[in-house]
Each structure stands twice: as C-alpha cells, then as structure tokens.
Amino acid sequence: TGNGAGGDGKTSKNNLQVVVRKRPAAAHEDDCVDCVEDQVQVREAKVKVDLTPYMQKHVFAYDEAFGDDDSTGDVYTRAIKDLIENFFQGGTSTCFCFGQTASGKTFT
C-alpha cells in the first residue's frame, strides 16, 4: 500500500504488496488451485517412471491470496481500501491488475 499500512491497519515496512485472486473454475476446467491464507497451492497431475499417477503440489506465497469463495468486497477491504484512503489523503497509490486473457481481471 502507498502509505505503508497493510489491510489489517498495521504499519508495514513494504510499500509493495502482491495480491492474487483465484477466479472460479469454469465447468469444463479441473479445479486444481486452492488459496489457503496467503498461499496459492496448485496440484499438478504427474506420472512416475513406473506409470503410477500422483499429484505434485506447488506452493506460492503472496501478501494476500483470495479464493473463489472470497467476495469482491473482501478483496476491496483487505487489499484496496487503504490505497484509496491514502490517495484521498494526498498520497500516491497504484493498483495494477495483471493476468492472462480470461484469467478473471474483469471478474474482480
């Protein structure tokens, strides 16, 4: 956040936060992504040398991770609200949304 405050109102030493939001999976997609607290966990189907299938879990950590059960209001309150308040108090704030086509930017 621009003023160094996190979504919980505590002062943060970082002025840059990386937040991720998982969009709901479409009916034709396998739901292989979970958001747990500040982590995104991706399950990847793999096959061992002996042809035994297994799932490999990849874990990525962020400042905040929002799952498909989190509302847009949750995202605003925990990730954006402090930026807006800082801006209207004369500070500089930037919110940059990045993602592949159909990744959920408009949904958010």
Side-chain angles (χ1 to χ4, degrees):
T1 59
N3 63 358
D8 58 4
K10 296 178 183 174
T11 300
S12 169
K13 293 181 183 178
N14 297 322
N15 286 333
L16 174 68
Q17 292 186 13
V18 179
V19 177
V20 65
R21 184 180 193 188
K22 173 193 171 196
R23 68 162 171 78
H28 66 280
E29 296 175 320
D30 289 332
D31 190 0
C32 62
V33 178
D34 294 314
C35 293
V36 180
E37 296 179 9
D38 62 350
Q39 294 182 341
V40 175
Q41 301 175 357
V42 180
R43 296 176 308 282
E44 178 184 12
K46 297 194 112 182
V47 179
K48 294 181 182 180
V49 176
D50 66 359
L51 302 179
T52 305
Y54 71 100
M55 295 297 265
Q56 182 175 0
K57 182 167 58 169
H58 304 278
V59 178
F60 304 92
Y62 298 92
D63 293 297
E64 287 269 4
F66 296 94
D68 48 4
D69 291 334
D70 289 307
S71 70
T72 299
D74 294 333
V75 175
Y76 173 79
T77 301
R78 293 171 26 208
I80 306 298
K81 183 179 177 185
D82 287 345
L83 291 173
I84 302 299
E85 290 174 357
N86 178 62
F87 174 78
F88 282 112
Q89 292 173 1
T92 301
S93 298
T94 301
C95 178
F96 180 73
C97 298
F98 176 79
Q100 173 179 339
T101 299
S103 65
K105 296 178 300 294
T106 302
F107 177 80
T108 296

